[in-house]
Amino acid sequence: MANITFRCTMQEGQVDEETRAVLADGLRRIAAELLGASADDVPVSFSDIPAGFGFRGGAPSTTSLVRGAIVGGVDQELREQVMRAIIDMWTEISGCTVDELIVSAADA
Amino acid sequence: MPFYRCAVPKESVPYDQRAAVAKAFTDVHCGSTGAPRSFVHVVFDESDDRWDTPYFVDGANRAGRPEALKAQLLSDLIDAFRDVTGVSADQVSGRITEGPASWTMEGGMVLPEPGEETAEWYEHDERIGQGQAAAGG
């Protein structure tokens, strides 16, 4: 069983509270299904980048970041499975495009 | 990636300067590394985190570049920050930490190692840039 924590960072005003709860449930489900984590024990935090404080390519950003840290680490095949599952879930629920999302799954 | 977080005192850097720093950082990073422009992220943080100096450039890049290039990159970023904001040299410092490219997906693709970017990667960058423009970004 792998332990994973998620830190999600979004541009202010892009994702409402109700949607965040659904996204957190989605992250916990992915952690349980692919990493064997207990869904009730997957910390998920959200923070906002205030409007006018986030830039991409020198222009205001619409990009969200989902950063996972996997205690003990995983092999690259499983890592990519996790990241792709997160992308699919996040874009479907939030309505953002795949180009507006960065996902990492780091060994910790 | 790259992701540059600029820790700054509250209300010390107005929007026009933040935008100018973000553009300057993008120019510096892409000029130094050849990375696509749309992959350069710059965020300003007014939280109370304590650093060695009141202004701090905290960079996170893909691992694998030569030490000399990284040192020059950080120096150029700090110079760019100072040029835009007028902050004195003793008030700003920074660091660049690194992580494996393969740990991150951006735009649905696993990041390539530095120097292994393909033509497809740059086409991808162009697509993201167009999307940003359409979104008003």
Side-chain angles (χ1 to χ4, degrees):
Chain A
M1 184 176 82
N3 292 316
I4 184 167
T5 61
F6 291 105
R7 288 189 299 139
C8 310
T9 307
M10 296 157 294
Q11 308 298 324
E12 183 181 40
Q14 285 204 308
V15 182
D16 61 34
E17 289 297 327
E18 186 178 340
T19 304
R20 290 177 198 219
V22 179
L23 291 168
D25 286 345
L27 292 172
R28 293 188 175 108
R29 176 181 52 77
I30 290 167
E33 290 178 359
L34 295 180
L35 298 172
S38 170
D40 294 335
D41 193 25
V42 177
V44 180
S45 65
F46 292 91
S47 61
D48 284 331
I49 298 170
F53 284 71
F55 300 85
R56 180 175 189 172
S61 178
T62 59
T63 299
S64 298
L65 296 91
V66 179
R67 285 176 276 202
I70 305 170
V71 176
V74 293
D75 63 33
Q76 185 62 18
E77 183 179 353
L78 179 53
R79 187 189 321 280
E80 290 186 26
Q81 269 187 280
V82 170
M83 291 192 291
R84 290 186 196 285
I86 292 171
I87 290 169
D88 289 345
M89 179 275 296
W90 193 280
T91 53
E92 181 180 343
I93 292 172
S94 74
C96 79
T97 70
V98 68
D99 291 334
E100 295 176 300
L101 182 61
I102 300 171
V103 175
S104 66
D107 291 349
Chain B
M1 279 191 173
F3 194 93
Y4 292 108
R5 173 174 170 252
C6 300
V8 300
K10 194 169 179 55
E11 297 181 357
S12 63
V13 182
Y15 176 80
D16 60 339
Q17 290 188 3
R18 295 196 298 270
V21 168
K23 183 179 182 305
F25 276 22
T26 304
D27 292 343
V28 166
H29 184 92
C30 296
S32 175
T33 66
R37 293 184 67 80
S38 71
F39 287 84
V40 181
H41 302 267
V42 180
V43 169
F44 293 82
D45 185 353
E46 295 183 335
S47 62
D48 293 328
D49 292 352
R50 298 293 179 195
W51 300 95
D52 293 341
T53 51
Y55 299 83
F56 193 84
V57 178
D58 190 15
N61 287 356
R62 291 177 290 165
R65 296 195 174 96
E67 289 298 326
L69 188 149
K70 287 188 287 185
Q72 187 63 53
L73 176 59
L74 180 59
S75 174
D76 291 347
L77 290 167
I78 289 174
D79 286 349
F81 186 90
R82 292 184 54 222
D83 285 347
V84 171
T85 61
V87 169
S88 62
D90 63 337
Q91 295 292 297
V92 57
S93 58
R95 70 176 179 184
I96 292 177
T97 57
E98 296 184 315
S102 61
W103 287 3
T104 300
M105 292 184 73
E106 193 158 346
M109 298 172 68
V110 176
L111 292 179
E113 301 297 330
E116 295 182 5
E117 297 86 352
T118 62
E120 180 190 12
W121 186 250
Y122 286 94
E123 290 168 9
H124 180 231
D125 168 59
E126 191 173 333
R127 186 187 81 210
I128 290 177
Q130 290 167 351
Q132 281 271 112

